[in-house]
Amino acid sequence: MPAQIYQFDSFRLDVGERQLTCNGQAIPLRAKVFDTLCLLVSQAGRLVRKDELMKTLWPDSVVEENNLEHNLCVLRKSLQENSGCVFIQTVPRQGYRFVAEVRALDNANANANAVAVAPLKAHSSEQAIFVAERESQLKVLQQAVKKAQTGTRQMIFLTGEAGIGKTTLVRRFLADLQEINPSAWTGQGECLEQHGAGEAYMPVLEAFAQLCRRPQGAAGLEVLRRQAPTWLFQMNSLIAPEERTSLQQSLIGLTPERMLREGAGALETMAAERLIILVLEDLHWSDAPTLDFLLRLARGQQPARLLVIGTYRPAEAKKQARPVSHLAQ
């Protein structure tokens, strides 16, 4: 089995717990940035080509190369700020190589060498307030789950600037939920800073794919086949080539309104039978169709055991022509 815990320089990367620490201090990373680090560290010393990184990080989406470059920029900055060292080498026009010496730890060694992880440092007054209020915010999310279980759909937005701990809060909430209600289906998607029109529904497609990959996810796939073939067509990793060919017929007469109706209807059908948690991160970079999708879900009248959690940075949202803050209001 591949190693789940790696040690390099003063860093410790726990893949299973999705945690990076430096000298025992937790370092917050966005989900896709963390996944990028995991892939590079697990292949330390080897050239990891750009197409391999992009196919692994975004298996169900077509994204521009600058999204990958943005991830690497954020990752390099975070590692260098905490150590002063350079760990990632760029091979021009080819890819990237993790050049630090990496030690893979087995479970026994990991436990023997475990270090206490200190709470996140409050780098600003806003973050200090967040840390103090984290338990109360967890209670708000837990109350939302209870309401969603009764069929009253819920939508919650977590706001704050980068590094304040929004993703950490979501991970804690999902981990607690897994222990309390392991039958709940969770899907997570992340918005990316795209130039130009960008890909419609990118974070929702990613979240749908996660829902269908989970145990018993075949039921979700069947719902998509019946109600949202235009969505299933875009999830290459979930369907065989011959099915993709047959699904092309569903694109005849495709309109934005039809795709919106199909996607929302399919999710509501899934949520009629089980609790669905949809987490969409960095909505300040959201495409307009994703915001329309969320608005349709929020206005739905029929019962649905559905909780949607969105995260965004208010300052970044203000820069957009159609900010997510309007939807939140």
Side-chain angles (χ1 to χ4, degrees), residues 103-135:
R103 184 162 61 98
L105 306 178
D106 58 28
N107 288 336
N109 286 335
N111 292 334
N113 297 327
V115 293
V117 178
L120 292 175
K121 290 180 179 177
H123 297 294
S124 65
S125 58
E126 183 181 17
Q127 187 177 25
I129 294 171
F130 175 84
V131 172
E133 294 181 346
R134 180 172 296 173
E135 292 302 322

Side-chain angles (χ1 to χ4, degrees), residues 36-72:
T36 304
L37 176 62
C38 289
L39 181 54
L40 291 174
V41 169
S42 68
Q43 303 294 321
R46 180 178 79 83
L47 170 65
V48 182
R49 299 189 179 277
K50 292 181 179 180
D51 59 348
E52 178 183 347
L53 278 162
M54 295 180 73
K55 287 178 181 177
T56 302
L57 295 170
W58 296 282
D60 297 293
S61 304
V62 178
V63 301
E64 296 182 6
E65 191 174 296
N66 59 8
N67 292 314
L68 175 62
E69 293 171 353
H70 174 74
N71 276 5
L72 268 296

Side-chain angles (χ1 to χ4, degrees), residues 14 129-130 161 167 169-170 177 265 267 274 284 298 301 311:
D14 190 327
I129 294 171
F130 175 84
E161 299 313 314
T167 299
L169 174 64
V170 171
L177 178 67
L267 184 60
R274 62 188 61 82
H284 47 272
Q301 296 299 312
T311 72

Side-chain angles (χ1 to χ4, degrees), residues 148-173:
Q149 286 175 319
T150 68
T152 304
R153 60 184 73 195
Q154 302 289 299
M155 189 169 292
I156 291 181
F157 294 93
L158 305 176
T159 65
E161 299 313 314
I164 197 173
K166 300 183 295 296
T167 299
T168 300
L169 174 64
V170 171
R171 288 177 187 164
R172 165 75 181 277
F173 164 70

